C-alpha cells in the first residue's frame, strides 16, 4: 500500500513557461482519484511526474514518504494505461499479461496461476489464446490494465484518458470494469481526463486543474455544491455555475441590481479584491409569484435537456440560467420570480471562495 | 422555397444505405438528423451537398431539381467533425475564401462580412493566426465561420462537436443555436447525440435502415416517438424497453412487477407488447415522484453525467437505466427502491416496433 | 463513385504511350526472341522452348544463379540488421540527426558506375588505400587475383552503397513509433533486447518489408558496380546473373539464349519477391495497422 505525495511540485519548460505550479497533493493508499481539467491544463504533465516519465524542475515526489524524483517508473512500481491501447502485437493475450512477470523472472508456476485469475476479472478468459493485434480497442485497453494489475508489487495505476478511442457504447462496460478492479484490488488509481462524466463517475477524490494549477480536491459532491474557485463551478455540472462580476460598497456586495449584506469582518477581508458571485442553475428557484428576496426575471430562451429544462433569464440586470423540471410549462417572454438558494450561494474574492453567513436584500 | 428529397436511394460499398427516402424541409428550419454511427447520416449530407449523386430519386431546392447539379454550383456550405480549414491560410483568409470564389463582392464588402462573422463566433482577435496555432474549439469556430460567411441557403453540419471537450460542446451548442436563429437558411445537422437536437433543433428526423422513420417538430418527435427506434435513438440515456404482457388494462413485466395502463387512452388488446419508459421517469428513493409503481433493483453502476446521476439497474433478468437529477452515490451491487411513473409509459408493438400508445404525459404539454 | 466523364484518360495517355514504347513492346519482343533462333540478316526460325532448355542445362547459368542467390541473401543478412542498428543509434529529430542522415545518405546519390570506379580506385594495388591498409597488417590483398578478396570487396561495396537506404527507411519507421510503446515496455520492466524484440521490430515491419523487397530485387540484378570493379573475375568468382545475360546478348549475339535467360530471370525475381512479401506481411495474420 503506497501513499503518493507531491510537495511544492512545479515544472517549467525551456521556454520559461510553467506546465504546472504550486502542486501540493496527497493520495492515500487505495484511493480512486481523478485529475480533471480542459486540454492543456497540465494534468498529463502531472501524471508523467507521478509515474516518473518526467522529472519536475521543482519540488519533491514522495512514495511512502521517500523521495523518488530520480526513480524510473519501473523502480517506482507504477503502471500506466495510455490514451490509445498499447499491446505487444506479436504476443497473444496470455503472453501479454504474463509479459511484466516474465521480465521480472517470476517463476512460471506463479504465472500459470495468476494469469487466468486476472483474465477472469477482466472478462478475457475465452480470449487468452487469441492474438492481441486483432482485438477491439476495448479489449486492448483491458489488456493494458491487466498488465498493471497482474503484478503484486504495484504501487499505483495511472490512467491517461483511457477511454478516448473506445466506442461510445463500450465505454460504460470499461468504466464498470475499472470500478470492479479497483474494488477488488484496492490499488491507488489516478485517472486523468477532460470529461467530467468519467472523472466524477470513477473517482472518490477529484482534483480540478486549470492553467497548471490544482484548484480544488474533493469528493464529486463537494466539488458540485461548494466549488472553491469560479473555474470549478464552471467546469463541473452541466450547465456550469452562473457567475456574476460583483462590487463591494460598504458591507454590501452587489452584482447588477442584486445585493447581499455581509458581516463586517468578511467585507473588510475582501475589500479591494476582484469579486464574483456564483450560483448553480439547479439552485436557482423559480416561482410563479413574488417571494421574499426574489428577482423578477424575463424568460429569454428555453432549452430542453430531455429530463429538465434550462431557462435563460434576465433579471436584476443579470443574465443567468435556471434548471427546472421538464414538466413545467413556460414560454419565452414570461415573467417569473427567481431566488438564489442561500446555502448554495458562493462568493469569490480573487478567484478563491469566501466563507460567509449572510443576509440578502434586492434593490 | 425549401428543400425536398423524393424517393432517394443510394448504395455505397455494396450496402443499401438509403432506401426510398422522402423528406421535406421548410426554410429557416434547423433539422437534426439523428441516427447511430454508420446509419447513413454522412451519406445523406453528401447527397444534399452534391458530393455524391443518388442512384435514384430527386433533390429539389426552391422548386428546382438539383439532383444532377455539381456541388460547385449548389449554394451550400458544410462543416465536418474533423476541424477542416485551409492550413496555409490565415483565419481571415479562411473565412473569406468562399466569398472570393463565388461572388463578385468588393473587398470592402468581404472585409465587412468576415469581421462580422468573426465577431459572432468570438474569434475576432484570431484573424491573423494560422489554423494549426489554434485550439480544437477555435479551429471548429473558424470552420463554422467559413460556412456561415458564405451565407448559403443550405448549411450542412456532420457531427461538428464530436471532437471537442464536453464544456466546449455546451458553449458551442448555444452559440450555434443563436447563429442559426438569425438566418433564413436551412440547417441540417447530423448527430448521434440527442442533446444536440434538444438544444438546437426546430425539427428532428430519425434515420433508421435507410429511411426517415419519423420527422416533425423537435418536441413532438421527442415526446411522441412513433417507433421503438425513434425512442431509442432520440433519448439520452437510451429509452428503456421492457417486454410485457398486457391483460385487462395491466402490463405485466415480471410476476412482481405490474403497471396499470388506465392513464392511457387506448384499450389494448391482450397480448405481448414492449413497454418504453425514459430514464428520468424512473425515480429513486429520495427523488420527487413517489406515486409510481415500485420495485427493488440492484445498482450495477452509478455514473455522474452533467449534474445528474445515471444508474444502471437490474431486477432479476431485467436491465434498465434510471436518471436522478442530483448528485447521488451508490455502491456497486447496492439495493435500491425505484418507482416507475405510469403516466410516462409508451407502448410499442412487439413485432414491428410501431407505437401503439403514446405516454399519457406526452399529451399534456 | 461513378465516372463523370472520360477526361481523365487524356491525362494518362502520354504516360501510357511512353510505357508502351519502353516496356510493353520490348517485352513482347523478348518473348518472341526467346521462342526463336535468330541470327542477324537471316530469317528467324521458331524453336519452341529449346532456348529455355539450353539455358537451364548450361553450367555457366547454373553456377551464376547459385552464386547470385548466395550473394543476395548475404547482402540482406548484412544490410538489414546493420541498417536497423545504425537507425537505432541515430539521435531522434534534432539537427544532429539531419546532418547524420545527409552524410549517411551520400552513397545513395552516387551514380552506380561511379561507385564501381571509386571502389576500383580504393582497391588498386598501386594507389588504393585498401591494399595499403591490409599490407600494413601483413595481409597480401589483391582484388584482381584473389577470389576471396574480390568477392568480399564486392559485398562490402554493396553494403557501403545501399545500407543507407535501410537506415533512412528505418529511421522514418522508428519515428513513427509513439513514445507510449517504449514507456509501456519500460513500465513492464522489459530489457533493451526484449523492448527491441516486442516493440520496435513488430512496428518496423512495414518499412522493413519495403527495404527487404527493394534490396532483394536490386541486388539480384546487380551489374554496373561489379563490372567496373572486377569485370566478373577473377575467373567466375564475381560473375553474377546479369553479367551472363549481357555477355550472351551483347558479346555473343545469342539472342535466343539471352531472351530466354531474361524471362527466367524475371520470373525468378517475381516468385522470390512475392514469397518474401507473403511471409513478411503475414507474420502477424489478422492484425490491423494503426
Amino acid at each position: 500500500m503506497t501513499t503518493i505525495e507531491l510537495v511544492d511540485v512545479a515544472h517549467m519548460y525551456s521556454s520559461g513557461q510553467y506546465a504546472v505550479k504550486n502542486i501540493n497533493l496527497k493520495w492515500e493508499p487505495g484511493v480512486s482519484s481523478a485529475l480533471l481539467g480542459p486540454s492543456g491544463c497540465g494534468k498529463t504533465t502531472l501524471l508523467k511526474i507521478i509515474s516518473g516519465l518526467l522529472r519536475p524542475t521543482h519540488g519533491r515526489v514522495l512514495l511512502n514518504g521517500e523521495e523518488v524524483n530520480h526513480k524510473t517508473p519501473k523502480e517506482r512500481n507504477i503502471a500506466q494505461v495510455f490514451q490509445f491501447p498499447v499491446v505487444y502485437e506479436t504476443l497473444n493475450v496470455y503472453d501479454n499479461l504474463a509479459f511484466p512477470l516474465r521480465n521480472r523472472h517470476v517463476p512460471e508456476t506463479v504465472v500459470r496461476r495468476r494469469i487466468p485469475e486476472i483474465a477472469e476479472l477482466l472478462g478475457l478468459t475465452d480470449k487468452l489464446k487469441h492474438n492481441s493485434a486483432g482485438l477491439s480497442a476495448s479489449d486492448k485497453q483491458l489488456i493494458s490494465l491487466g498488465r498493471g494489475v497482474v503484478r503484486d508489487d504495484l504501487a499505483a495505476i495511472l490512467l491517461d484518458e483511457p477511454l478516448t478511442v473506445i466506442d461510445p457504447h463500450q465505454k460504460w462496460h470499461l468504466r464498470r470494469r475499472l470500478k470492479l478492479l479497483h474494488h477488488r484490488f484496492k490499488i491507488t488509481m489516478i485517472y486523468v481526463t477532460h470529461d467530467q462524466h468519467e472523472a466524477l463517475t470513477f473517482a472518490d477524490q477529484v482534483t480540478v486543474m486549470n492553467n497548471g494549477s490544482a484548484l480544488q480536491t474533493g469528493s464529486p459532491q463537494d466539488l458540485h455544491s461548494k466549488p472553491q474557485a469560479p473555474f470549478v463551478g464552471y467546469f463541473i455540472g452541466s450547465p456550469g455555475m452562473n457567475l456574476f462580476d460583483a462590487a463591494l460598497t460598504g458591507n454590501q456586495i452587489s452584482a447588477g441590481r442584486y445585493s447581499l449584506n455581509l458581516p463586517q469582518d468578511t467585507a473588510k477581508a475582501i475589500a479591494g479584491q476582484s469579486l464574483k458571485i456564483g450560483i448553480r442553475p439547479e439552485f436557482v428557484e423559480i416561482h410563479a409569484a413574488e417571494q421574499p428576496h426574489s428577482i423578477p426575471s424575463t424568460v429569454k430562451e428555453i432549452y430542453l435537456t430531455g429530463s429538465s429544462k434550462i431557462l435563460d433569464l434576465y433579471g436584476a440586470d443579470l443574465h443567468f440560467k435556471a434548471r427546472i423540471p421538464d414538466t413545467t410549462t413556460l414560454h419565452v417572454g414570461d415573467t417569473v420570480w427567481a431566488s438564489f438558494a442561500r446555502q448554495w450561494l458562493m462568493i469569490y474574492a480573487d478567484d478563491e471562495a469566501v466563507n460567509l453567513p449572510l443576509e440578502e436584500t434586492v434593490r | 422555397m425549401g428543400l425536398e428529397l423524393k424517393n432517394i436511394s443510394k448504395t455505397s460499398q455494396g450496402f443499401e444505405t438509403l432506401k426510398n427516402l422522402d423528406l421535406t424541409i421548410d426554410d429557416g428550419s434547423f433539422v437534426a438528423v439523428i441516427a447511430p454511427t454508420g446509419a447513413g447520416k454522412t451519406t445523406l449530407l453528401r447527397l444534399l451537398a452534391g458530393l455524391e449523386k443518388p442512384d435514384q430519386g430527386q433533390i429539389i431546392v426552391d422548386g428546382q431539381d438539383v439532383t444532377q447539379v455539381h456541388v460547385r454550383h449548389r449554394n451550400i456550405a458544410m462543416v465536418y467533425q474533423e476541424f477542416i480549414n485551409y492550413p496555409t491560410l490565415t483565419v481571415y483568409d479562411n473565412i473569406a475564401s468562399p466569398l472570393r470564389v463565388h461572388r463578385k463582392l468588393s473587398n470592402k464588402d468581404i472585409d465587412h462580412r468576415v469581421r462580422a462573422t468573426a465577431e459572432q463566433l468570438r474569434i475576432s482577435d484570431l484573424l491573423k493566426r494560422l489554423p494549426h496555432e489554434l485550439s480544437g474549439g477555435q479551429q471548429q469556430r473558424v470552420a463554422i465561420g467559413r460556412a456561415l460567411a458564405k451565407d448559403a441557403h443550405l448549411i450542412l453540419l456532420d457531427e461538428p462537436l464530436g471532437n471537442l471537450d464536453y464544456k466546449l460542446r455546451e458553449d458551442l451548442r448555444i452559440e450555434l443555436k443563436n447563429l442559426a436563429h438569425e438566418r433564413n437558411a436551412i440547417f441540417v445537422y447530423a448527430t448521434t447525440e440527442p442533446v444536440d437536437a434538444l438544444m438546437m433543433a426546430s425539427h428532428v428526423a430519425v434515420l433508421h435502415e435507410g429511411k426517415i422513420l419519423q420527422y416533425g417538430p423537435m418536441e413532438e418527435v421527442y415526446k411522441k416517438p412513433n417507433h421503438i427506434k425513434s425512442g431509442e435513438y432520440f433519448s439520452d440515456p437510451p429509452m428503456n424497453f421492457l417486454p410485457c404482457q398486457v391483460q385487462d388494462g395491466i402490463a405485466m413485466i415480471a410476476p412482481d412487477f405490474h403497471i396499470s395502463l388506465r392513464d392511457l387512452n387506448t384499450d389494448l388488446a391482450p397480448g405481448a407488447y414492449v413497454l418504453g419508459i425514459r430514464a428520468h421517469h424512473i425515480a429513486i428513493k429520495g427523488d420527487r415522484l413517489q406515486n409510481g409503481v415500485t420495485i427493488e433493483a440492484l445498482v450495477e453502476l452509478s455514473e455522474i453525467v452533467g449534474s445528474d446521476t445515471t444508474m444502471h439497474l437490474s431486477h432479476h433478468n431485467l436491465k434498465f437505466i434510471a436518471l436522478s437529477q442530483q448528485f447521488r452515490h451508490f455502491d456497486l451491487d447496492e439495493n435500491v427502491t425505484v418507482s416507475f411513473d405510469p403516466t410516462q409509459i409508451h407502448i410499442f408493438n412487439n413485432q414491428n416496433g410501431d407505437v401503439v400508445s403514446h405516454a399519457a404525459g406526452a399529451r399534456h404539454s | 463513385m461513378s465516372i463523370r466523364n472520360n477526361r481523365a484518360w487524356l491525362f494518362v495517355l502520354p504516360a501510357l504511350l511512353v510505357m508502351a514504347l519502353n516496356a510493353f513492346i520490348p517485352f513482347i519482343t523478348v518473348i518472341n526472341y526467346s521462342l526463336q533462333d535468330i541470327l542477324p540478316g537471316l530469317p528467324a526460325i521458331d524453336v519452341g522452348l529449346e532456348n529455355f532448355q539450353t539455358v537451364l542445362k548450361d553450367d555457366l547459368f547454373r553456377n551464376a544463379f547459385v552464386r547470385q542467390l548466395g550473394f543476395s541473401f548475404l547482402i540482406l543478412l548484412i544490410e538489414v540488421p546493420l541498417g536497423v542498428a545504425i537507425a537505432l543509434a541515430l539521435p531522434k529529430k534534432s539537427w544532429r540527426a539531419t546532418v547524420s542522415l545527409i552524410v549517411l545518405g551520400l552513397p545513395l546519390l552516387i551514380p552506380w558506375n561511379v561507385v564501381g570506379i571509386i571502389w576500383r580506385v580504393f582497391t588498386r594495388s598501386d594507389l588504393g588505400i585498401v591494399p595499403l591498409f591490409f599490407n600494413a597488417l601483413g595481409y597480401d590483398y589483391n582484388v584482381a587475383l584473389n577470389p576471396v578478396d574480390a568477392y568480399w570487396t564486392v559485398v562490402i561495396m554493396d553494403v557501403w552503397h545501399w545500407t543507407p537506404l535501410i537506415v533512412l527507411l528505418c529511421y522514418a519507421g522508428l519515428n513513427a513509433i509513439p513514445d507510449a510503446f517504449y514507456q509501456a515496455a519500460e513500465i513492464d520492466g522489459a530489457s533493451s533486447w526484449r523492448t527491441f524484440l516486442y516493440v520496435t521490430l513488430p512496428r518496423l515491419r512495414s518499412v522493413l518489408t519495403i527495404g527487404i523487397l527493394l534490396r532483394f530485387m536490386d541486388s539480384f540484378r546487380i551489374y554496373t558496380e561489379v563490372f567496373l570493379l572486377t569485370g566478373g573475375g577473377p575467373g567466375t568468382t564475381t560473375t553474377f546473373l546479369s553479367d551472363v545475360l549481357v555477355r550472351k546478348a551483347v558479346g555473343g549475339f545469342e539472342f535466343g539464349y539471352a531472351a530466354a535467360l531474361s524471362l527466367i530471370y524475371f520470373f525468378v525475381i517475381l516468385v522470390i519477391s512475392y514469397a518474401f512479401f507473403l511471409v513478411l506481411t503475414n507474420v502477424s495474420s489478422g492484425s490491423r495497422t494503426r
Side-chain angles (χ1 to χ4, degrees), chain A residues 64-81:
Chain A
N64 282 339
E66 188 198 322
E67 187 171 316
V68 295
N69 288 36
H70 55 284
K71 286 198 180 171
T72 62
K74 180 175 167 181
E75 289 164 346
R76 300 185 195 190
N77 286 328
I78 288 187
Q80 187 156 340
V81 178

Side-chain angles (χ1 to χ4, degrees), chain A residues 175-176 234-235 238 323, chain B residues 166-167 170 300 303 308:
Chain A
R175 273 190 231 119
R176 181 167 155 81
Y234 159 73
F235 202 71
S238 188
R323 201 166 109 147
Chain B
Y166 94 98
K167 267 296 164 185
E170 274 179 28
E300 292 199 346
E303 316 191 288
D308 308 320

Side-chain angles (χ1 to χ4, degrees), chain B residues 88-358:
Chain B
T88 51
L89 298 180
T90 60
V91 168
Y92 184 99
D93 290 327
N94 257 290
I95 301 178
S97 64
L99 301 172
R100 291 187 178 139
V101 167
H102 265 282
R103 314 289 183 76
K104 306 285 185 277
L105 286 176
S106 69
N107 276 340
K108 198 162 73 110
D109 285 335
I110 292 182
D111 187 76
H112 181 77
R113 191 90 79 91
V114 170
R115 288 187 191 281
T117 310
E119 179 75 45
Q120 277 186 320
L121 288 158
R122 303 197 279 131
I123 49 175
S124 298
D125 48 342
L126 299 173
L127 286 171
K128 293 212 169 61
R129 304 265 208 100
L130 290 172
H132 71 88
E133 297 167 3
L134 306 174
S135 73
Q138 291 166 333
Q139 286 182 40
Q140 195 62 313
R141 284 208 172 88
V142 175
I144 294 172
R146 198 170 65 252
L148 290 176
K150 192 174 171 187
D151 212 14
H153 174 240
L154 177 62
I155 301 182
L156 305 165
L157 303 108
D158 197 351
E159 300 197 66
L161 307 181
N163 285 352
L164 299 174
D165 284 1
Y166 94 98
K167 267 296 164 185
L168 269 172
R169 267 185 251 154
E170 274 179 28
D171 292 339
L172 269 175
R173 266 184 218 124
I174 301 198
E175 286 177 38
L176 267 176
K177 174 162 182 164
N178 292 337
L179 287 167
H181 213 47
E182 305 161 1
R183 286 151 206 268
N184 203 32
I186 295 178
F187 281 72
V188 180
Y189 185 108
T191 181
T192 51
E193 299 287 329
V195 67
D196 286 346
L198 287 166
M199 295 281 277
M200 296 184 286
S202 63
H203 292 75
V204 166
V206 179
L207 184 63
H208 176 65
E209 288 183 354
K211 285 193 199 290
I212 301 291
L213 197 58
Q214 187 168 2
Y215 175 70
M218 187 267 293
E219 266 196 68
E220 195 180 298
V221 177
Y222 183 75
K223 293 219 155 92
K224 299 184 182 169
N226 68 353
H227 191 275
I228 286 184
K229 289 298 173 188
S230 287
E232 183 186 319
Y233 298 157
F234 195 12
S235 292
D236 188 24
M239 190 182 258
N240 295 299
F241 294 108
L242 304 168
C244 62
Q245 283 289 334
V246 171
Q247 183 100 35
D248 298 327
I250 305 229
M252 192 178 89
I253 301 163
D256 58 341
F257 189 7
H258 302 215
I259 299 189
S260 158
L261 301 173
R262 71 178 119 84
D263 288 301
L264 299 175
N265 255 348
T266 354
D267 279 325
L268 291 173
Y273 292 87
V274 174
L275 185 147
I277 184 167
R278 286 202 162 99
H280 60 277
H281 293 133
I282 304 176
I284 308 262
K285 62 167 194 268
D287 283 345
R288 270 180 269 244
L289 171 77
Q290 287 308 328
N291 54 340
V293 176
T294 57
I295 54 165
E296 295 296 307
L298 214 63
V299 178
E300 292 199 346
L301 181 68
S302 89
E303 316 191 288
I304 313 267
V305 188
S307 298
D308 308 320
T309 311
T310 328
M311 283 142 296
H312 295 256
L313 302 158
S314 65
H315 174 80
H316 305 309
N317 279 345
L318 294 170
K319 292 205 195 285
F320 51 94
I321 303 177
L323 185 111
S324 174
Q325 291 181 48
Q326 327 163 25
F327 269 42
R328 319 270 311 247
H329 177 76
F330 294 100
D331 290 324
L332 289 174
D333 297 332
E334 186 180 322
N335 246 312
V336 291
T337 315
V338 294
S339 168
F340 286 68
D341 186 343
T343 64
Q344 299 292 352
I345 296 171
H346 306 256
I347 304 286
F348 298 93
N349 183 308
N350 73 336
Q351 297 295 319
N352 60 18
D354 286 338
V355 70
V356 170
S357 175
H358 290 303

